[in-house]
Amino acid sequence: RKQHRAYLSHLRQHVPTLCLPPIESHPDCLFVEDTVVAIGDTAVITRLGHVSWRGEAGYMKDVLKQLGVANVHDMRGNDDENSEVCPQCDGGDVIYTGRHLFVGRSDRT
């Protein structure tokens, strides 16, 4: 918790920052960047590559709606766990520079 407070303090010196409450059923949920790719007023809810993390995305979708994000899209579709053709992406594998969207390739993206 001390590390998390220090992390938030540092971020808040540079960018507006919201702190979301923990999701007890998802102990890794502090990595919110994996659940969404957002640019301006548009966000895409990702289908996370790690199956045990997939429940986190629904919470983030609710947060985005509460914050009034205008365009929220969901790439999860029907989320067939056995489908190998269903697109998946961990948002942490994506970065937007303001001009380009870089997407890494991994077993989960």
Side-chain angles (χ1 to χ4, degrees):
R1 294 187 191 270
K2 185 177 178 182
Q3 268 186 331
H4 192 260
R5 283 191 303 273
Y7 176 62
L8 283 175
S9 176
H10 183 76
L11 280 177
R12 287 178 172 152
Q13 292 174 31
H14 306 283
V15 293
T17 306
L18 297 174
C19 184
L20 302 176
I23 305 167
E24 299 301 330
S25 59
H26 296 282
D28 290 330
C29 69
L30 70 104
F31 301 107
V32 296
E33 74 275 6
D34 286 333
T35 61
V36 64
V37 174
I39 300 171
D41 67 348
T42 300
V44 177
I45 302 299
T46 63
R47 180 180 184 266
L48 294 163
H50 199 287
V51 174
S52 68
W53 296 347
R54 291 189 181 156
E56 299 171 23
Y59 292 97
M60 195 60 175
K61 186 174 184 176
D62 292 342
V63 168
L64 292 168
K65 287 182 179 180
Q66 290 171 11
L67 291 173
V69 174
N71 304 299
V72 178
H73 307 279
D74 196 330
M75 72 183 293
R76 293 175 298 166
N78 292 327
D79 207 10
D80 180 358
E81 298 287 342
N82 300 316
S83 174
E84 293 192 21
V85 296
C86 201
Q88 60 189 35
C89 173
D90 286 1
D93 292 342
V94 179
I95 187 168
Y96 181 60
T97 66
R99 186 171 174 197
H100 297 97
L101 187 68
F102 291 93
V103 181
R105 285 181 66 177
S106 71
D107 291 341
R108 295 191 307 251
T109 297

